[in-house]
Amino acid sequence: MRSASEPLDLDPGRQTLVSVGSMASVIESLPTSAFGNLLVVSPNAPARVEKTIERQGGDPSRCGHIPLTSSAPSYEGPLWTTSPVAPSDLTGLSMRYSRAMEHVESGRGWFCFDGVQLLLMYAAADDVQRLLTTMASATRTREVAGVYGLAHEAVTSETYERLASIFDDSVDRRPR
């Protein structure tokens, strides 16, 4: 596990699980280069994702968002978004991911899943593990860097280890 002090800069295709604090967004751990072509899955409203990207120095018009929520957020801004998907709908999430990844450039794009623990509140750990394995594999094959944020305190040690085994690396960005 790499430390929080090292810059989070991944080679194309590298998939990393990032432990974050319960209220933190893994988007804040991305390097500036990620915001040139980024797809984000997040339970946060598009306007909040947009603001987080802007705070990091990114251009939201170069980023996409799959809202992980049961309600349709109202948003008109530069961030392109898909229709929302409920956290319990792993098939719907997989379908939106597949379509949206067509806009992420191989060799230079980034994929960011913010709030992996939310899926575990609505779906069985085995199903979540299968989905994340599929996403990480497809993202790796496209040579897109992948960052998957998980509030470490929200899962058991066993669940964390199961999920960590999917990825190439893990990083701890929780506050000390």
Side-chain angles (χ1 to χ4, degrees):
M1 184 176 290
R2 292 186 293 173
S3 75
S5 61
E6 292 179 41
L8 187 56
D9 195 14
L10 308 180
D11 291 332
R14 191 94 179 146
Q15 306 301 297
T16 300
L17 180 64
V18 180
S19 294
V20 295
S22 61
M23 299 305 289
S25 170
V26 74
I27 297 169
E28 297 167 353
S29 297
L30 297 176
T32 304
S33 61
F35 300 106
N37 185 230
L38 172 68
L39 173 61
V40 176
V41 173
S42 175
N44 294 322
R48 185 169 173 192
V49 172
E50 176 188 337
K51 286 182 186 355
T52 303
I53 290 168
E54 287 174 339
R55 272 196 315 272
Q56 299 307 114
D59 177 0
S61 70
R62 303 199 44 86
C63 304
H65 178 222
I66 300 172
L68 193 57
T69 178
S70 298
S71 60
S74 175
Y75 175 74
E76 290 188 32
L79 188 68
W80 60 265
T81 65
T82 69
S83 58
V85 60
S88 60
D89 184 3
L90 301 185
T91 300
L93 177 57
S94 180
M95 290 170 43
R96 282 173 186 75
Y97 160 83
S98 294
R99 276 187 247 129
M101 279 297 284
E102 293 173 11
H103 302 282
V104 180
E105 295 179 44
S106 179
R108 80 175 214 56
W110 284 70
F111 172 68
C112 176
F113 196 125
D114 195 17
V116 167
Q117 70 279 356
L118 182 63
L119 297 180
L120 294 164
M121 294 172 63
Y122 294 94
D126 287 345
D127 295 336
V128 172
Q129 185 175 10
R130 269 192 295 280
L131 173 69
L132 293 175
T133 299
T134 300
M135 287 177 142
S137 177
T139 305
R140 185 180 293 114
T141 299
R142 281 190 54 96
E143 295 185 12
V144 169
V147 177
Y148 304 76
L150 174 70
H152 199 121
E153 306 82 34
V155 299
T156 65
S157 296
E158 178 184 319
T159 299
Y160 176 82
E161 292 303 323
R162 283 179 63 186
L163 296 180
S165 71
I166 297 167
F167 305 101
D168 301 313
D169 200 7
S170 59
V171 176
D172 193 342
R173 293 287 172 119
R174 293 176 290 172
R176 300 282 177 215

